[in-house]
Amino acid sequence: MSCPRIEVDLGKIRRNTQTLVGCLGPRGIRVTGVTKAVCGHPAIAQAMLDGGASGLADARISNVQRLRAAGMTGSITLIRTPMLSQADQVAQSCEASYNTEILVISALAAAAIRNSSVHGIILMVEMGDQRDGILPENLADITQQVMQMPGLALKGIGTNFACLNGLAPTALQLAAFCDLANEIEGVCGPFLKIVSGGGSTNLPWALGKHATGRVNDLRLGEAILLGVEPVSGDQIGGMHTDAFTLVAEVIETDAKPPPSPVALIDPIPERLRIEPTSGASKRMILAMGHQDTDILGLSMPVGSTLIGATSDHLVIGTSRPMPTVGSEVRFQMNYNALMHAMAAPDIKVKLLGVPPTTPSRHTQGKSDHLALV
């Protein structure tokens, strides 16, 4: 079987989505499945929909076009501010997009008119992450400008947390965001259909005992795919953390002597080296490296230690029986490792748990056990 490869258990992704939908639904919050970490893989996106996600979202128009080419006709939202140069593609492929720049919004309006369509606008608001977003004091003015543009429909507002600064949101920040939704409706008139309160980092807040206010949407990728809360890295109770497995092939097994000192005239920067070898430790080399994934985002198999890596070699020490050349070693991945591996051209994707028939996308699983553990 081809290596390296990613084995994807679609059943676990469906069940993770079901669990989140089942818990957030009674709180008035729907789940938008985010597919950017898997490069818009259609089967994985469908597993999210089958688990009850209300729609899909991605950050790159190329991923959206991949979904459309696979025949997916449902709602897809672009969650990164569109590039000005891609306004026509966004208007053609996406029902809506998150925006911060009035120049880009104007281009989307013109593109929608050329496309004989109406493009939905969700305004991204800066609430403390210091990445993308309109300052709250400027939101009303930009909202009024959007409402005056033909070809557009104001759908709502959104925000994000812990994307750049790594800080989880506070209840006070989310309350202020909800107040903004009420304020915009009071000043500008239209009811906001979407009040998107962030992503997977917001789950501890969304599942807390307090009221969630106007927030009615969360954009969830990492929580669905990996079953963890991003800031703490904690597993979410009842969720699968092993829906993705990275498999690499052993190409060499040997004992290596400790390296001899070598004087370099022009030293190169030190390569990644986690565990120095001593004596004749048992080592194996796998056909995978930095070009394939984020090596530091891999969980080493039991009894194994990361020694180092280069662009296309991964060196591991082991205290267990040495595998043979041609055998396979399996790894779990964090979000960064998953993103890089899914985008790597030499890594194949093998789908597991493909249903014989497509289940109802409204099916929900048991949800009374969801908690961070």
Side-chain angles (χ1 to χ4, degrees):
M1 192 173 295
S2 176
C3 279
R5 69 179 182 273
I6 297 175
E7 295 181 351
V8 185
D9 191 322
L10 297 176
K12 291 179 179 179
I13 294 172
R14 283 193 297 272
R15 291 192 290 274
N16 279 357
T17 310
Q18 287 174 339
T19 300
L20 290 167
V21 168
C23 281
L24 293 170
R27 310 215 74 188
I29 299 175
R30 58 181 171 263
V31 170
T32 297
V34 178
T35 59
K36 63 181 182 179
V38 294
C39 301
H41 195 292
I44 298 172
Q46 187 61 53
M48 293 179 174
L49 294 175
D50 292 342
S54 62
L56 301 173
D58 208 293
R60 296 171 186 258
I61 192 63
S62 58
N63 292 342
V64 176
Q65 291 169 337
R66 181 184 184 187
L67 293 169
R68 294 302 190 201
M72 306 197 76
T73 59
S75 174
I76 304 179
T77 301
L78 193 70
I79 55 174
R80 182 174 68 180
T81 297
M83 295 186 217
L84 189 60
S85 60
Q86 294 182 338
D88 282 286
Q89 297 176 62
V90 174
Q92 290 170 6
S93 299
C94 302
E95 279 70 26
S97 59
Y98 283 77
N99 285 268
T100 62
E101 289 289 336
I102 199 67
L103 180 62
V104 174
I105 295 171
S106 298
L108 289 169
I113 292 172
R114 288 192 294 271
N115 195 46
S116 300
S117 62
V118 176
H119 186 71
I121 298 293
I122 305 166
L123 296 175
M124 182 66 77
V125 187
E126 163 58 42
M127 297 299 298
D129 187 55
Q130 298 184 328
R131 194 185 67 177
D132 55 328
I134 300 165
L135 294 177
E137 57 266 29
N138 297 331
L139 183 60
D141 177 62
I142 293 178
T143 300
Q144 290 175 326
Q145 293 183 60
V146 171
M147 293 178 58
Q148 294 170 3
M149 294 183 187
L152 301 181
L154 179 66
K155 293 295 185 181
I157 62 174
T159 191
N160 59 68
F161 297 94
C163 292
L164 185 63
N165 64 20
L167 299 177
T170 66
L172 187 61
Q173 287 173 307
L174 269 301
F177 176 64
C178 292
D179 289 342
L180 278 175
N182 295 330
E183 178 184 325
I184 291 302
E185 288 178 349
V187 171
C188 303
F191 174 75
L192 298 179
K193 181 180 178 181
I194 298 170
V195 181
S196 185
S200 297
T201 57
N202 292 56
L203 281 173
W205 168 84
L207 296 171
K209 296 181 179 180
H210 52 75
T212 52
R214 289 293 308 276
V215 172
N216 61 12
D217 173 85
L218 287 182
R219 312 179 301 276
L220 302 182
E222 186 167 355
I224 292 175
L225 299 172
L226 298 181
V228 299
E229 189 276 306
V231 173
S232 67
D234 291 339
Q235 178 186 0
I236 302 171
M239 302 277 281
H240 296 283
T241 61
D242 57 350
F244 294 84
T245 301
L246 181 59
V247 184
E249 184 173 325
V250 178
I251 58 174
E252 179 183 319
T253 61
D254 203 355
K256 299 287 185 180
S260 302
V262 177
L264 298 177
I265 297 175
D266 184 17
I268 60 175
E270 185 178 356
R271 291 186 176 91
L272 170 66
R273 190 174 183 79
I274 305 301
E275 183 77 14
T277 57
S278 59
S281 62
K282 292 190 295 184
R283 299 160 29 118
M284 53 182 160
I285 300 177
L286 287 73
M288 182 174 69
H290 292 302
Q291 192 167 326
D292 303 294
T293 189
D294 177 5
I295 298 299
L296 294 179
L298 301 179
S299 296
M300 293 294 112
V302 175
S304 299
T305 304
L306 174 60
I307 293 175
T310 61
S311 59
D312 48 15
H313 293 78
L314 177 61
V315 184
I316 294 177
T318 182
S319 60
R320 301 171 73 87
M322 181 65 72
T324 59
V325 170
S327 61
E328 297 178 345
V329 179
R330 307 169 72 83
F331 302 88
Q332 300 305 129
M333 298 173 282
N334 69 10
Y335 194 66
N336 282 340
L338 174 64
M339 284 193 298
H340 293 166
M342 288 295 297
D346 293 327
I347 294 186
K348 308 302 180 184
V349 175
K350 179 182 179 182
L351 301 176
L352 309 174
V354 179
T357 58
T358 302
S360 169
R361 67 186 297 268
H362 300 293
T363 301
Q364 296 183 7
K366 294 182 179 180
S367 58
D368 56 355
H369 57 296
L370 186 62
L372 297 181
V373 296

